[in-house]
């Protein structure tokens, strides 16, 4: 295949990826941070690292891949979603009684 056909194919995959799939991943990421905000405070610290933050980072990393190849992500909405997630999860951790130990 020629380089032009391959680059066109990858470009179309990126457009699709940043469309519907990107919105779905951003929604999932926001859902996990909302779970952290509304979770019972006594159960949050035991779940935040593996279950909540791990899943947020998983969805972010997979959003940066096309056909299993990691690419530079220029999707500003995805980056802003990640920042919002980190902020909300951090605020939820700070509201717990044992936040200093964590």
């Amino acid at each position: 295949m020629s380089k032009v056909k391959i680059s066109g194919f990858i470009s179309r995959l990126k457009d699709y990826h940043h469309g519907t799939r990107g919105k779905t991943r951003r929604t999932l990421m926001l859902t996990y941070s909302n779970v952290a905000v509304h979770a019972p405070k006594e159960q949050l610290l035991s779940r935040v690292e593996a279950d909540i933050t791990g899943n947020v980072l998983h969805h972010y990393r997979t959003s940066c891949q096309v056909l299993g190849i990691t690419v530079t992500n220029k999707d500003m909405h995805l980056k802003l979603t990640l920042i919002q997630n980190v902020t909300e999860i951090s605020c939820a951790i700070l509201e717990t009684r044992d936040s200093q130990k964590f």
Side-chain angles (χ1 to χ4, degrees):
M1 295 177 80
S2 71
K3 287 186 178 183
V4 174
K5 288 183 181 179
I6 291 173
S7 65
F9 177 71
I10 290 176
S11 176
R12 283 192 296 267
L13 281 175
K14 285 182 182 178
D15 290 343
Y16 170 74
H17 180 72
H18 293 302
T20 305
R21 291 181 67 196
K23 288 178 186 175
T24 303
R25 291 198 188 280
R26 289 193 305 266
T27 302
L28 285 170
M29 289 168 64
L30 289 171
T31 301
Y32 281 110
S33 66
N34 280 319
V35 165
V37 169
H38 298 292
K41 301 305 177 198
E42 59 275 355
Q43 295 178 1
L44 178 65
L45 295 181
S46 65
R47 299 287 186 164
V48 74
E49 191 171 354
D51 296 331
I52 298 172
T53 308
N55 285 320
V56 167
L57 292 175
H58 167 75
H59 289 297
Y60 180 77
R61 276 185 300 232
T62 54
S63 294
C64 297
Q65 293 181 349
V66 176
L67 295 175
I69 301 169
T70 302
V71 295
T72 303
N73 198 324
K74 297 179 181 175
D75 184 4
M76 190 58 64
H77 294 292
L78 181 66
K79 291 177 183 180
L80 290 173
T81 300
L82 180 64
I83 292 169
Q84 182 178 352
N85 276 284
V86 170
T87 303
E88 288 180 358
I89 292 170
S90 299
C91 289
I93 290 171
L94 286 174
E95 290 176 4
T96 63
R97 282 181 269 156
D98 298 329
S99 66
Q100 296 299 321
K101 294 177 185 178
F102 190 73

